[in-house]
Amino acid sequence: MQDVVIKAIKQLVSHKKTPTVALIKGKLMEPVPMPIIINVLNQYKKDPQSIIASTDEVISEPEAPLLSTQSQLDRIEAKLDRLIQLLEKH
């Protein structure tokens, strides 16, 4: 799971953006627990080179919008599932 967060941070840095929890979450394709995102972000803040120099490659430009869109769709779908469950209970 940390690898996915590291890739998101690398992508943000390659676009000259400062990684934040919100920006990282927007780049993730799959749900990642908040503590993992925060831990990796804190590691990046303490030593940016520890993340940037890791062996994983940065996600290429054409894939970036797809990741963001897919992540948003996944979150919307999860919210809809929760709403449906709540409606079925009533």
Side-chain angles (χ1 to χ4, degrees):
M1 290 237 163
Q2 288 183 341
D3 293 341
V4 177
V5 178
I6 290 170
K7 285 180 183 180
I9 290 174
K10 285 182 173 186
Q11 185 180 10
L12 290 167
V13 170
S14 73
H15 293 303
K16 309 276 190 259
K17 294 183 180 179
T18 302
T20 63
V21 172
L23 289 175
I24 293 169
K25 283 189 73 148
K27 296 290 181 194
L28 298 175
M29 261 181 26
E30 57 194 55
V32 175
M34 189 65 72
I36 292 176
I37 295 171
I38 293 169
N39 287 339
V40 175
L41 181 59
N42 285 337
Q43 180 183 353
Y44 170 78
K45 287 180 178 180
K46 288 179 186 174
D47 184 15
Q49 291 306 313
S50 68
I51 300 291
I52 304 303
S54 69
T55 57
D56 295 21
E57 293 186 15
V58 177
I59 298 170
S60 63
E61 279 277 337
E63 294 179 73
L66 178 63
L67 292 178
S68 180
T69 303
Q70 186 62 42
S71 176
Q72 289 174 350
L73 288 174
D74 289 343
R75 279 185 265 157
I76 291 169
E77 185 177 11
K79 287 179 182 179
L80 280 173
D81 288 342
R82 279 185 256 143
L83 287 171
I84 290 170
Q85 287 175 350
L86 288 172
L87 286 172
E88 288 175 346
K89 287 181 181 178
H90 289 81

